[in-house]
Amino acid sequence: TNNVCNQLHLPAQSGSNTVLERMRRGYTREAYLTLVDDVKRIIGNDDDYVAFSSDFITGFCHETEEEHEDTIKLMQEVKYDQAYMFAYSMREKTNAHRTMVDDVPADVKQRRLQEVISVFRTNVQERNEMLEVGRLRLVLVEGEARRKKKNDSGVVVGRMWSGRTDQNKRVVFPSLLLNDDNDDDDDDDFGWCFTEEEVKP
């Protein structure tokens, strides 16, 4: 339907079944991937694909290198378009606080977090180049962007606007020209069209 954006937030937290069990998440890696595959099969295609976002925590109690690698492999398989990634920190009044020990060293948590972030950035860059560059997208304009349009000398020559695509990706683009009688042939914008200059995950 045109009323619903093609973007789903599916918090994974980890790609390891043993970590998911310790977190008491209530699902397995296999069940999660089945859900992702079902969504892609029912909704997604090359032109109007479904974008997935997720949450990931590195260094949960007792997390091993093998369990961390399971998370890396999950990210490589799903290829998320957005992700919220954090190193684990113990919170009071949780099951982990009552029953587990926060035993993964801080430097290990941070190293694993950087690895997760690196994989995400590589994947999202590849996806944007494959699925977004050169494509025309419907954008919901949210307002004027902080960035301004500048000439080669760095002088501000126009306003920029910011909005979201159907996949909830932020787009920054030059101001729209609404006056059809404008005969300035040097301008890059024409009528209702806009030139997409930047896509940010």
Side-chain angles (χ1 to χ4, degrees):
T1 174
N2 292 332
N3 293 347
V4 180
C5 289
N6 287 343
Q7 195 272 340
L8 286 176
H9 184 68
L10 297 178
Q13 305 295 354
S14 173
S16 165
N17 279 337
T18 48
V19 172
L20 292 173
E21 184 176 2
R22 290 199 298 275
M23 288 180 169
R24 303 173 79 178
R25 293 297 298 176
Y27 55 83
T28 63
R29 173 195 182 94
E30 291 75 23
Y32 184 91
L33 286 172
T34 296
L35 177 59
V36 170
D37 290 341
D38 286 345
V39 170
K40 289 180 177 180
R41 175 176 51 82
I42 295 170
I43 304 176
N45 59 61
D46 288 342
D47 292 324
D48 202 19
Y49 68 97
V50 177
F52 292 100
S53 61
S54 193
D55 303 327
F56 290 97
I57 296 175
T58 64
F60 186 73
C61 304
H62 319 316
E63 184 185 65
T64 65
E65 287 298 328
E66 290 76 16
E67 290 170 333
H68 169 63
E69 283 300 318
D70 285 340
T71 296
I72 296 294
K73 291 175 183 177
L74 178 70
M75 298 184 75
Q76 290 172 332
E77 184 167 353
V78 177
K79 298 189 183 302
Y80 298 93
D81 293 273
Q82 297 179 12
Y84 303 91
M85 300 157 284
F86 308 94
Y88 175 73
S89 60
M90 182 74 78
R91 293 183 179 179
E92 295 184 0
K93 300 181 181 180
T94 63
N95 180 67
H97 184 259
R98 291 191 299 268
T99 64
M100 300 180 199
V101 178
D102 185 7
D103 56 355
V104 179
D107 61 329
V108 174
K109 290 180 183 180
Q110 289 301 318
R111 188 256 302 165
R112 292 176 183 172
L113 176 60
Q114 292 308 311
E115 291 175 359
V116 164
I117 291 173
S118 177
V119 169
F120 166 74
R121 286 179 173 170
T122 298
N123 288 340
V124 80
Q125 180 68 28
E126 291 175 353
R127 282 181 63 77
N128 282 340
E129 290 176 357
M130 179 178 65
L131 298 172
E132 299 296 348
V133 175
R135 300 289 178 92
L136 182 65
R137 294 294 185 197
L138 180 67
V139 175
L140 174 64
V141 179
E142 296 177 312
E144 189 170 350
R146 294 179 182 176
R147 208 177 93 184
K148 305 298 181 183
K149 186 175 182 180
K150 299 180 181 180
N151 61 19
D152 294 338
S153 300
V155 177
V156 174
V157 294
R159 294 188 297 175
M160 301 287 283
W161 295 88
S162 177
R164 300 275 175 174
T165 69
D166 196 35
Q167 286 75 25
N168 198 33
K169 293 187 178 183
R170 191 168 77 91
V171 180
V172 178
F173 53 93
S175 192
L176 304 179
L177 292 183
L178 305 182
N179 184 359
D180 291 339
D181 295 328
N182 190 317
D183 59 359
D184 183 0
D185 293 334
D186 293 330
D187 203 299
D188 292 331
D189 307 318
F190 301 95
W192 291 98
C193 300
F194 62 85
T195 302
E196 178 181 332
E197 289 197 350
E198 183 175 350
V199 176
K200 294 185 178 180

